PDB file of all heavy atoms in Angstrom:
ATOM      1  N   ASN X 103      10.730   6.505  -0.085  1.00 92.00           N
ATOM      2  CA  ASN X 103      12.051   7.082  -0.397  1.00 92.00           C
ATOM      3  C   ASN X 103      11.958   8.209  -1.425  1.00 92.00           C
ATOM      4  O   ASN X 103      12.786   8.316  -2.331  1.00 92.00           O
ATOM      5  CB  ASN X 103      13.000   6.001  -0.906  1.00 92.00           C
ATOM      6  CG  ASN X 103      13.265   4.925   0.134  1.00 92.00           C
ATOM      7  OD1 ASN X 103      13.254   5.189   1.332  1.00 92.00           O
ATOM      8  ND2 ASN X 103      13.506   3.703  -0.320  1.00 92.00           N
ATOM      9  N   GLY X 104      10.923   9.043  -1.289  1.00 91.00           N
ATOM     10  CA  GLY X 104      10.779  10.201  -2.158  1.00 91.00           C
ATOM     11  C   GLY X 104      10.172   9.922  -3.500  1.00 91.00           C
ATOM     12  O   GLY X 104      10.032  10.825  -4.321  1.00 91.00           O
ATOM     13  N   ARG X 105       9.803   8.694  -3.762  1.00 93.00           N
ATOM     14  CA  ARG X 105       9.247   8.320  -5.059  1.00 93.00           C
ATOM     15  C   ARG X 105       7.818   7.783  -4.895  1.00 93.00           C
ATOM     16  O   ARG X 105       7.504   7.173  -3.883  1.00 93.00           O
ATOM     17  CB  ARG X 105      10.121   7.259  -5.734  1.00 93.00           C
ATOM     18  CG  ARG X 105      11.507   7.764  -6.135  1.00 93.00           C
ATOM     19  CD  ARG X 105      12.319   6.647  -6.775  1.00 93.00           C
ATOM     20  NE  ARG X 105      13.553   7.136  -7.361  1.00 93.00           N
ATOM     21  CZ  ARG X 105      14.680   7.315  -6.684  1.00 93.00           C
ATOM     22  NH1 ARG X 105      14.707   7.009  -5.384  1.00 93.00           N
ATOM     23  NH2 ARG X 105      15.758   7.763  -7.280  1.00 93.00           N
ATOM     24  N   PRO X 106       6.985   8.005  -5.915  1.00 95.00           N
ATOM     25  CA  PRO X 106       5.622   7.463  -5.838  1.00 95.00           C
ATOM     26  C   PRO X 106       5.631   5.943  -6.000  1.00 95.00           C
ATOM     27  O   PRO X 106       6.077   5.435  -7.030  1.00 95.00           O
ATOM     28  CB  PRO X 106       4.903   8.148  -6.996  1.00 95.00           C
ATOM     29  CG  PRO X 106       5.992   8.528  -7.965  1.00 95.00           C
ATOM     30  CD  PRO X 106       7.198   8.812  -7.144  1.00 95.00           C
ATOM     31  N   LEU X 107       5.165   5.247  -4.989  1.00 96.00           N
ATOM     32  CA  LEU X 107       5.057   3.793  -5.046  1.00 96.00           C
ATOM     33  C   LEU X 107       3.741   3.373  -5.694  1.00 96.00           C
ATOM     34  O   LEU X 107       3.686   2.407  -6.459  1.00 96.00           O
ATOM     35  CB  LEU X 107       5.159   3.217  -3.628  1.00 96.00           C
ATOM     36  CG  LEU X 107       4.926   1.723  -3.453  1.00 96.00           C
ATOM     37  CD1 LEU X 107       6.023   0.929  -4.166  1.00 96.00           C
ATOM     38  CD2 LEU X 107       4.902   1.357  -1.974  1.00 96.00           C
ATOM     39  N   ALA X 108       2.673   4.100  -5.384  1.00 97.00           N
ATOM     40  CA  ALA X 108       1.358   3.827  -5.968  1.00 97.00           C
ATOM     41  C   ALA X 108       0.546   5.106  -5.936  1.00 97.00           C
ATOM     42  O   ALA X 108       0.645   5.894  -4.997  1.00 97.00           O
ATOM     43  CB  ALA X 108       0.632   2.718  -5.202  1.00 97.00           C
ATOM     44  N   SER X 109      -0.261   5.305  -6.958  1.00 97.00           N
ATOM     45  CA  SER X 109      -1.078   6.518  -7.041  1.00 97.00           C
ATOM     46  C   SER X 109      -2.313   6.229  -7.882  1.00 97.00           C
ATOM     47  O   SER X 109      -2.199   5.670  -8.983  1.00 97.00           O
ATOM     48  CB  SER X 109      -0.271   7.659  -7.679  1.00 97.00           C
ATOM     49  OG  SER X 109      -1.061   8.827  -7.802  1.00 97.00           O
ATOM     50  N   GLY X 110      -3.482   6.586  -7.345  1.00 97.00           N
ATOM     51  CA  GLY X 110      -4.698   6.379  -8.107  1.00 97.00           C
ATOM     52  C   GLY X 110      -5.880   6.073  -7.218  1.00 97.00           C
ATOM     53  O   GLY X 110      -5.857   6.339  -6.008  1.00 97.00           O
ATOM     54  N   PRO X 111      -6.940   5.502  -7.794  1.00 97.00           N
ATOM     55  CA  PRO X 111      -8.139   5.164  -7.008  1.00 97.00           C
ATOM     56  C   PRO X 111      -7.786   4.316  -5.807  1.00 97.00           C
ATOM     57  O   PRO X 111      -6.966   3.400  -5.876  1.00 97.00           O
ATOM     58  CB  PRO X 111      -8.998   4.384  -8.010  1.00 97.00           C
ATOM     59  CG  PRO X 111      -8.589   4.916  -9.340  1.00 97.00           C
ATOM     60  CD  PRO X 111      -7.115   5.194  -9.230  1.00 97.00           C
ATOM     61  N   ILE X 112      -8.402   4.637  -4.680  1.00 97.00           N
ATOM     62  CA  ILE X 112      -8.002   4.044  -3.401  1.00 97.00           C
ATOM     63  C   ILE X 112      -8.208   2.533  -3.380  1.00 97.00           C
ATOM     64  O   ILE X 112      -7.453   1.801  -2.724  1.00 97.00           O
ATOM     65  CB  ILE X 112      -8.776   4.741  -2.254  1.00 97.00           C
ATOM     66  CG1 ILE X 112      -8.017   4.579  -0.932  1.00 97.00           C
ATOM     67  CG2 ILE X 112     -10.206   4.263  -2.152  1.00 97.00           C
ATOM     68  CD1 ILE X 112      -8.490   5.530   0.148  1.00 97.00           C
ATOM     69  N   LYS X 113      -9.186   2.022  -4.120  1.00 94.00           N
ATOM     70  CA  LYS X 113      -9.434   0.585  -4.123  1.00 94.00           C
ATOM     71  C   LYS X 113      -8.283  -0.189  -4.741  1.00 94.00           C
ATOM     72  O   LYS X 113      -8.054  -1.351  -4.416  1.00 94.00           O
ATOM     73  CB  LYS X 113     -10.728   0.288  -4.867  1.00 94.00           C
ATOM     74  CG  LYS X 113     -11.982   0.765  -4.158  1.00 94.00           C
ATOM     75  CD  LYS X 113     -13.229   0.409  -4.947  1.00 94.00           C
ATOM     76  CE  LYS X 113     -14.493   0.881  -4.225  1.00 94.00           C
ATOM     77  NZ  LYS X 113     -15.727   0.536  -4.978  1.00 94.00           N
ATOM     78  N   LYS X 114      -7.531   0.474  -5.641  1.00 96.00           N
ATOM     79  CA  LYS X 114      -6.420  -0.192  -6.304  1.00 96.00           C
ATOM     80  C   LYS X 114      -5.089   0.074  -5.627  1.00 96.00           C
ATOM     81  O   LYS X 114      -4.171  -0.764  -5.692  1.00 96.00           O
ATOM     82  CB  LYS X 114      -6.353   0.248  -7.775  1.00 96.00           C
ATOM     83  CG  LYS X 114      -7.554  -0.174  -8.606  1.00 96.00           C
ATOM     84  CD  LYS X 114      -7.386   0.253 -10.057  1.00 96.00           C
ATOM     85  CE  LYS X 114      -8.559  -0.224 -10.908  1.00 96.00           C
ATOM     86  NZ  LYS X 114      -8.411   0.173 -12.338  1.00 96.00           N
ATOM     87  N   THR X 115      -4.941   1.231  -5.013  1.00 97.00           N
ATOM     88  CA  THR X 115      -3.637   1.619  -4.465  1.00 97.00           C
ATOM     89  C   THR X 115      -3.469   1.235  -2.999  1.00 97.00           C
ATOM     90  O   THR X 115      -2.362   0.894  -2.582  1.00 97.00           O
ATOM     91  CB  THR X 115      -3.440   3.133  -4.601  1.00 97.00           C
ATOM     92  OG1 THR X 115      -4.540   3.814  -4.006  1.00 97.00           O
ATOM     93  CG2 THR X 115      -3.330   3.540  -6.052  1.00 97.00           C
ATOM     94  N   LEU X 116      -4.541   1.314  -2.220  1.00 97.00           N
ATOM     95  CA  LEU X 116      -4.427   1.041  -0.784  1.00 97.00           C
ATOM     96  C   LEU X 116      -4.584  -0.459  -0.556  1.00 97.00           C
ATOM     97  O   LEU X 116      -5.685  -0.960  -0.301  1.00 97.00           O
ATOM     98  CB  LEU X 116      -5.483   1.833  -0.004  1.00 97.00           C
ATOM     99  CG  LEU X 116      -5.167   2.078   1.482  1.00 97.00           C
ATOM    100  CD1 LEU X 116      -3.898   2.859   1.652  1.00 97.00           C
ATOM    101  CD2 LEU X 116      -6.325   2.806   2.161  1.00 97.00           C
ATOM    102  N   THR X 117      -3.455  -1.166  -0.642  1.00 97.00           N
ATOM    103  CA  THR X 117      -3.451  -2.617  -0.511  1.00 97.00           C
ATOM    104  C   THR X 117      -2.396  -3.040   0.492  1.00 97.00           C
ATOM    105  O   THR X 117      -1.464  -2.287   0.808  1.00 97.00           O
ATOM    106  CB  THR X 117      -3.138  -3.294  -1.855  1.00 97.00           C
ATOM    107  OG1 THR X 117      -1.790  -2.955  -2.247  1.00 97.00           O
ATOM    108  CG2 THR X 117      -4.109  -2.843  -2.940  1.00 97.00           C
ATOM    109  N   SER X 118      -2.537  -4.268   0.980  1.00 96.00           N
ATOM    110  CA  SER X 118      -1.546  -4.812   1.918  1.00 96.00           C
ATOM    111  C   SER X 118      -0.166  -4.837   1.293  1.00 96.00           C
ATOM    112  O   SER X 118       0.840  -4.507   1.936  1.00 96.00           O
ATOM    113  CB  SER X 118      -1.960  -6.228   2.357  1.00 96.00           C
ATOM    114  OG  SER X 118      -3.174  -6.212   3.067  1.00 96.00           O
ATOM    115  N   ALA X 119      -0.094  -5.227   0.014  1.00 96.00           N
ATOM    116  CA  ALA X 119       1.192  -5.314  -0.662  1.00 96.00           C
ATOM    117  C   ALA X 119       1.874  -3.957  -0.767  1.00 96.00           C
ATOM    118  O   ALA X 119       3.078  -3.821  -0.494  1.00 96.00           O
ATOM    119  CB  ALA X 119       1.002  -5.931  -2.048  1.00 96.00           C
ATOM    120  N   ASN X 120       1.127  -2.933  -1.180  1.00 97.00           N
ATOM    121  CA  ASN X 120       1.721  -1.601  -1.324  1.00 97.00           C
ATOM    122  C   ASN X 120       2.157  -1.029   0.020  1.00 97.00           C
ATOM    123  O   ASN X 120       3.239  -0.424   0.147  1.00 97.00           O
ATOM    124  CB  ASN X 120       0.735  -0.659  -1.993  1.00 97.00           C
ATOM    125  CG  ASN X 120       0.611  -0.897  -3.482  1.00 97.00           C
ATOM    126  OD1 ASN X 120       1.500  -1.475  -4.108  1.00 97.00           O
ATOM    127  ND2 ASN X 120      -0.500  -0.462  -4.069  1.00 97.00           N
ATOM    128  N   LEU X 121       1.336  -1.210   1.046  1.00 97.00           N
ATOM    129  CA  LEU X 121       1.689  -0.672   2.362  1.00 97.00           C
ATOM    130  C   LEU X 121       2.846  -1.447   2.976  1.00 97.00           C
ATOM    131  O   LEU X 121       3.688  -0.876   3.682  1.00 97.00           O
ATOM    132  CB  LEU X 121       0.466  -0.700   3.279  1.00 97.00           C
ATOM    133  CG  LEU X 121      -0.659   0.263   2.874  1.00 97.00           C
ATOM    134  CD1 LEU X 121      -1.864   0.080   3.794  1.00 97.00           C
ATOM    135  CD2 LEU X 121      -0.183   1.713   2.904  1.00 97.00           C
ATOM    136  N   SER X 122       2.925  -2.745   2.728  1.00 96.00           N
ATOM    137  CA  SER X 122       4.063  -3.541   3.226  1.00 96.00           C
ATOM    138  C   SER X 122       5.361  -3.024   2.627  1.00 96.00           C
ATOM    139  O   SER X 122       6.377  -2.875   3.322  1.00 96.00           O
ATOM    140  CB  SER X 122       3.874  -5.022   2.884  1.00 96.00           C
ATOM    141  OG  SER X 122       2.774  -5.566   3.575  1.00 96.00           O
ATOM    142  N   GLU X 123       5.336  -2.730   1.328  1.00 96.00           N
ATOM    143  CA  GLU X 123       6.537  -2.205   0.681  1.00 96.00           C
ATOM    144  C   GLU X 123       6.854  -0.797   1.165  1.00 96.00           C
ATOM    145  O   GLU X 123       8.015  -0.446   1.380  1.00 96.00           O
ATOM    146  CB  GLU X 123       6.352  -2.207  -0.833  1.00 96.00           C
ATOM    147  CG  GLU X 123       7.608  -1.790  -1.580  1.00 96.00           C
ATOM    148  CD  GLU X 123       7.505  -1.978  -3.085  1.00 96.00           C
ATOM    149  OE1 GLU X 123       6.537  -2.624  -3.546  1.00 96.00           O
ATOM    150  OE2 GLU X 123       8.406  -1.477  -3.790  1.00 96.00           O
ATOM    151  N   ALA X 124       5.827   0.011   1.354  1.00 96.00           N
ATOM    152  CA  ALA X 124       6.050   1.400   1.767  1.00 96.00           C
ATOM    153  C   ALA X 124       6.666   1.483   3.160  1.00 96.00           C
ATOM    154  O   ALA X 124       7.555   2.310   3.416  1.00 96.00           O
ATOM    155  CB  ALA X 124       4.729   2.181   1.738  1.00 96.00           C
ATOM    156  N   PHE X 125       6.209   0.617   4.089  1.00 94.00           N
ATOM    157  CA  PHE X 125       6.676   0.679   5.475  1.00 94.00           C
ATOM    158  C   PHE X 125       7.770  -0.328   5.789  1.00 94.00           C
ATOM    159  O   PHE X 125       8.272  -0.392   6.910  1.00 94.00           O
ATOM    160  CB  PHE X 125       5.489   0.491   6.422  1.00 94.00           C
ATOM    161  CG  PHE X 125       4.519   1.643   6.400  1.00 94.00           C
ATOM    162  CD1 PHE X 125       3.281   1.524   5.804  1.00 94.00           C
ATOM    163  CD2 PHE X 125       4.858   2.863   6.961  1.00 94.00           C
ATOM    164  CE1 PHE X 125       2.386   2.579   5.778  1.00 94.00           C
ATOM    165  CE2 PHE X 125       3.983   3.938   6.939  1.00 94.00           C
ATOM    166  CZ  PHE X 125       2.737   3.799   6.345  1.00 94.00           C
ATOM    167  N   GLY X 126       8.155  -1.131   4.805  1.00 92.00           N
ATOM    168  CA  GLY X 126       9.272  -2.044   4.993  1.00 92.00           C
ATOM    169  C   GLY X 126       9.015  -3.173   5.952  1.00 92.00           C
ATOM    170  O   GLY X 126       9.937  -3.676   6.610  1.00 92.00           O
ATOM    171  N   ALA X 127       7.773  -3.601   6.060  1.00 92.00           N
ATOM    172  CA  ALA X 127       7.405  -4.726   6.939  1.00 92.00           C
ATOM    173  C   ALA X 127       6.080  -5.289   6.444  1.00 92.00           C
ATOM    174  O   ALA X 127       5.258  -4.574   5.873  1.00 92.00           O
ATOM    175  CB  ALA X 127       7.280  -4.284   8.389  1.00 92.00           C
ATOM    176  N   GLU X 128       5.886  -6.577   6.668  1.00 93.00           N
ATOM    177  CA  GLU X 128       4.650  -7.196   6.215  1.00 93.00           C
ATOM    178  C   GLU X 128       3.488  -6.736   7.088  1.00 93.00           C
ATOM    179  O   GLU X 128       3.495  -6.914   8.303  1.00 93.00           O
ATOM    180  CB  GLU X 128       4.760  -8.725   6.265  1.00 93.00           C
ATOM    181  CG  GLU X 128       3.539  -9.428   5.682  1.00 93.00           C
ATOM    182  CD  GLU X 128       3.640 -10.931   5.741  1.00 93.00           C
ATOM    183  OE1 GLU X 128       4.703 -11.438   6.156  1.00 93.00           O
ATOM    184  OE2 GLU X 128       2.649 -11.606   5.396  1.00 93.00           O
ATOM    185  N   VAL X 129       2.484  -6.160   6.442  1.00 94.00           N
ATOM    186  CA  VAL X 129       1.296  -5.694   7.145  1.00 94.00           C
ATOM    187  C   VAL X 129       0.061  -6.230   6.448  1.00 94.00           C
ATOM    188  O   VAL X 129       0.087  -6.574   5.257  1.00 94.00           O
ATOM    189  CB  VAL X 129       1.228  -4.147   7.210  1.00 94.00           C
ATOM    190  CG1 VAL X 129       2.400  -3.579   7.990  1.00 94.00           C
ATOM    191  CG2 VAL X 129       1.179  -3.555   5.808  1.00 94.00           C
ATOM    192  N   ASN X 130      -1.014  -6.314   7.198  1.00 95.00           N
ATOM    193  CA  ASN X 130      -2.286  -6.773   6.653  1.00 95.00           C
ATOM    194  C   ASN X 130      -3.313  -5.648   6.763  1.00 95.00           C
ATOM    195  O   ASN X 130      -3.544  -5.121   7.855  1.00 95.00           O
ATOM    196  CB  ASN X 130      -2.785  -8.004   7.418  1.00 95.00           C
ATOM    197  CG  ASN X 130      -1.868  -9.187   7.250  1.00 95.00           C
ATOM    198  OD1 ASN X 130      -1.371  -9.444   6.157  1.00 95.00           O
ATOM    199  ND2 ASN X 130      -1.618  -9.916   8.339  1.00 95.00           N
ATOM    200  N   LEU X 131      -3.891  -5.293   5.621  1.00 96.00           N
ATOM    201  CA  LEU X 131      -4.888  -4.222   5.571  1.00 96.00           C
ATOM    202  C   LEU X 131      -6.280  -4.840   5.470  1.00 96.00           C
ATOM    203  O   LEU X 131      -6.515  -5.726   4.657  1.00 96.00           O
ATOM    204  CB  LEU X 131      -4.645  -3.320   4.360  1.00 96.00           C
ATOM    205  CG  LEU X 131      -5.639  -2.171   4.165  1.00 96.00           C
ATOM    206  CD1 LEU X 131      -5.412  -1.093   5.226  1.00 96.00           C
ATOM    207  CD2 LEU X 131      -5.493  -1.573   2.764  1.00 96.00           C
ATOM    208  N   ARG X 132      -7.173  -4.354   6.306  1.00 95.00           N
ATOM    209  CA  ARG X 132      -8.553  -4.810   6.262  1.00 95.00           C
ATOM    210  C   ARG X 132      -9.487  -3.606   6.233  1.00 95.00           C
ATOM    211  O   ARG X 132      -9.163  -2.546   6.760  1.00 95.00           O
ATOM    212  CB  ARG X 132      -8.880  -5.674   7.489  1.00 95.00           C
ATOM    213  CG  ARG X 132      -8.107  -6.985   7.552  1.00 95.00           C
ATOM    214  CD  ARG X 132      -8.503  -7.786   8.775  1.00 95.00           C
ATOM    215  NE  ARG X 132      -7.774  -9.054   8.843  1.00 95.00           N
ATOM    216  CZ  ARG X 132      -7.930  -9.943   9.816  1.00 95.00           C
ATOM    217  NH1 ARG X 132      -8.789  -9.690  10.808  1.00 95.00           N
ATOM    218  NH2 ARG X 132      -7.238 -11.059   9.812  1.00 95.00           N
ATOM    219  N   LYS X 133     -10.635  -3.803   5.621  1.00 93.00           N
ATOM    220  CA  LYS X 133     -11.651  -2.765   5.562  1.00 93.00           C
ATOM    221  C   LYS X 133     -12.913  -3.277   6.218  1.00 93.00           C
ATOM    222  O   LYS X 133     -13.420  -4.356   5.864  1.00 93.00           O
ATOM    223  CB  LYS X 133     -11.938  -2.361   4.124  1.00 93.00           C
ATOM    224  CG  LYS X 133     -12.884  -1.176   3.986  1.00 93.00           C
ATOM    225  CD  LYS X 133     -13.027  -0.771   2.534  1.00 93.00           C
ATOM    226  CE  LYS X 133     -13.923   0.462   2.386  1.00 93.00           C
ATOM    227  NZ  LYS X 133     -14.077   0.885   0.977  1.00 93.00           N
TER     228      LYS X 133
END
């Protein structure tokens, strides 16, 4: 919504929790 939800090193910012909030649905991130 035009605001920074998370910003920084990818290991800390690219998480299931942050992406779930960003896209408005529960998602699971795997590497």
Side-chain angles (χ1 to χ4, degrees):
N103 297 329
R105 293 179 171 85
L107 174 65
S109 178
I112 203 164
K113 291 181 179 180
K114 295 182 178 180
T115 54
L116 202 61
T117 65
S118 297
N120 284 339
L121 293 176
S122 294
E123 185 172 349
F125 292 107
E128 185 181 355
V129 297
N130 296 318
L131 179 72
R132 295 181 180 180
K133 186 176 183 180

